[in-house]
Amino acid sequence: THSRSSTASRQQPHPPLVFAFDIDGVLLRGETVLPAAKRALARLEGANPTGLKIPYILITNGGGISEEDRCRKLSKQLGFDIKPTQYVQSHTVLKSVVHKYAEKPIMVFGGKFDEVRKVAEGYGFEKVYTTLDVMAWNPNVWPFHELTAEERASTKPVDFSRTPISAAFVFHDPRNWALDVQILCDLVQSGGIIGAPYLPVSEQNKVDLVFCNPDLLWRAAFDRPRLGQGAFREAFQAVYHALTGKRYPYVQYGKPSEVTYKFAEKVLVDRLEELSGRRPAVSPEVYMVGDNPESDIAGANAAKWSSVLVRTGVFDPAQGPPAHTPTHIAEDVEEAVEWAIRREM
Ligand code: G3P
Ligand code: MG
């Protein structure tokens, strides 16, 4: 058995048990909180054999608003206080790369209106533009969209013929894929100045392209999984390939990327220190609970965490075994927590 009581050496301090929860398909389905989620978190907030709190963090490929705003919303939805120190979303990791672009003009993609611009500015990016700014500058860039009053109100006056964009960051899911694919193609083909002559294909690598969420699919409120930011990435790459015969080079963050899991490990250790007042003596025993084998299970397995796959999200047992083998498969997040507590305590 794996239970701690049978752990051979008593000299070694026991690694503290901690959980890392995915959100969509595990705790939430769209705006709806899964009933099992509240019961699972109650166990970790003290209703367990030790009577003590068992630390946990949330790691999501979602995003589009600030960590603070999302934590306020999650605390209301889940009924427990979720702090930003317990929360990693798709683009949180960009805080560690801002220094490379601080004063350079960047374009951000995804989310509603200028919400992602505000998140990027909150991270320290100083010259942040949106695809709606481009349409306000020259509506001929994409003939099939007319800015709504609310969209126009979210824009900034910019002359993009004199604003070389150094990098394109896809923070969250674009709302107008056609407009955003068109502008992304303009940026990479013209070396960052929208409307400038296209560079030779062999020189089309001037604009850094960063995606924050690789999910082809995710589980929202609908009965079947929905297309995620990974599908937008493939749509752009398919169009760019049709235009140039090549795929455009890009950096991918989000689960299952190693950089995101390493970042999450640091958040976990910092959270343990925040709760106990000291750095943990040994690395924690992490249990990741997720619904997507490609992002949650693949990433947790590579990080040498225990992984529990639940049946309430993307994974559909009728489609056969998961592409990445979890430590355990559970019906829902409550069963996942119960199994891990029994195994570790
Ligand atoms: O946009 C969010 C979606 O891609 C998946 O979110 O919480 O299941 O990682 P999550
Ligand atoms: Mg999920």
Side-chain angles (χ1 to χ4, degrees):
T1 62
H2 187 94
S3 83
R4 292 162 170 264
S5 56
S6 68
T7 304
S9 146
R10 290 234 164 272
Q11 289 72 28
Q12 283 294 331
H14 293 310
L17 169 62
V18 298
F19 285 86
F21 291 115
D22 171 46
I23 297 179
D24 291 302
V26 175
L27 303 176
L28 299 180
R29 284 276 297 278
E31 295 300 310
T32 304
V33 180
L34 293 177
K38 291 198 172 184
R39 296 194 296 269
L41 295 186
R43 299 283 278 154
L44 303 187
E45 293 284 351
N48 61 61
T50 66
L52 301 173
K53 280 179 179 278
I54 299 174
Y56 63 92
I57 65 168
L58 308 185
I59 315 180
T60 176
N61 277 345
I65 57 177
S66 70
E67 284 74 14
E68 294 73 17
D69 287 347
R70 184 73 199 276
C71 286
R72 266 189 287 280
K73 189 174 176 188
L74 285 165
S75 299
K76 279 200 199 83
Q77 288 173 302
L78 298 171
F80 295 101
D81 186 22
I82 306 291
K83 297 184 182 350
T85 52
Q86 286 177 270
Y87 181 70
V88 177
Q89 63 184 352
S90 59
H91 42 74
T92 310
V93 69
L94 294 185
K95 291 179 179 176
S96 57
V97 301
V98 170
H99 63 281
K100 292 185 203 165
Y101 302 94
E103 283 120 45
K104 294 179 184 169
I106 65 164
M107 188 155 292
V108 296
F109 292 74
K112 284 187 272 187
F113 308 118
D114 60 346
E115 286 178 351
V116 161
R117 186 200 329 262
K118 289 175 188 143
V119 175
E121 289 171 342
Y123 287 0
F125 291 100
E126 293 173 17
K127 295 178 183 163
V128 185
Y129 302 108
T130 71
T131 55
L132 298 179
D133 292 341
V134 176
M135 288 299 281
W137 164 65
N138 186 340
N140 294 322
V141 166
W142 182 245
F144 304 118
H145 182 68
E146 201 167 316
L147 288 179
T148 64
E150 201 173 0
E151 285 176 330
R152 186 171 299 281
S154 77
T155 62
K156 274 185 176 174
V158 193
D159 177 356
F160 283 98
S161 67
R162 301 147 56 94
T163 307
I165 299 293
S166 64
F169 287 88
V170 186
F171 270 68
H172 194 41
D173 300 67
R175 270 28 180 199
N176 184 333
W177 282 25
L179 168 64
D180 286 10
V181 166
Q182 172 65 75
I183 291 175
L184 208 37
C185 287
D186 284 332
L187 282 173
V188 298
Q189 288 180 279
S190 298
I193 298 188
I194 296 175
Y198 292 157
L199 301 173
V201 171
S202 60
E203 293 172 33
Q204 291 181 11
N205 53 18
K206 306 279 185 277
V207 177
D208 294 346
L209 176 55
V210 177
F211 292 95
C212 294
N213 167 7
D215 287 353
L216 281 176
L217 295 169
W218 66 295
R219 195 65 190 273
F222 191 59
D223 293 344
R224 302 267 70 80
R226 300 296 75 194
L227 294 176
Q229 188 186 127
F232 169 76
R233 181 197 67 219
E234 290 309 303
F236 158 71
Q237 290 287 11
V239 168
Y240 183 74
H241 185 270
L243 291 169
T244 64
K246 287 173 59 180
R247 283 173 70 92
Y248 192 79
Y250 63 95
V251 171
Q252 182 68 66
Y253 293 124
K255 298 176 291 183
S257 72
E258 183 184 10
V259 62
T260 289
Y261 275 84
K262 286 265 183 267
F263 186 89
E265 252 167 15
K266 188 179 173 319
V267 170
L268 264 170
V269 169
D270 291 349
R271 176 67 176 154
L272 284 172
E273 180 172 9
E274 182 184 36
L275 290 172
S276 67
R278 62 182 184 283
R279 296 300 277 175
V282 289
S283 299
E285 185 72 49
V286 188
Y287 279 76
M288 169 104 202
V289 182
D291 70 299
N292 188 335
E294 308 292 342
S295 55
D296 304 314
I297 307 307
N301 290 353
K304 304 278 184 283
W305 297 355
S306 298
S307 57
V308 186
L309 178 61
V310 294
R311 295 191 185 93
T312 49
V314 167
F315 170 59
D316 174 5
Q319 305 278 312
H324 298 273
T325 307
T327 314
H328 181 65
I329 295 181
E331 195 52 43
D332 58 33
V333 64
E334 181 184 23
E335 195 185 289
V337 164
E338 295 301 336
W339 174 80
I341 287 177
R342 272 198 313 278
R343 191 170 190 251
E344 289 294 333
M345 292 188 156

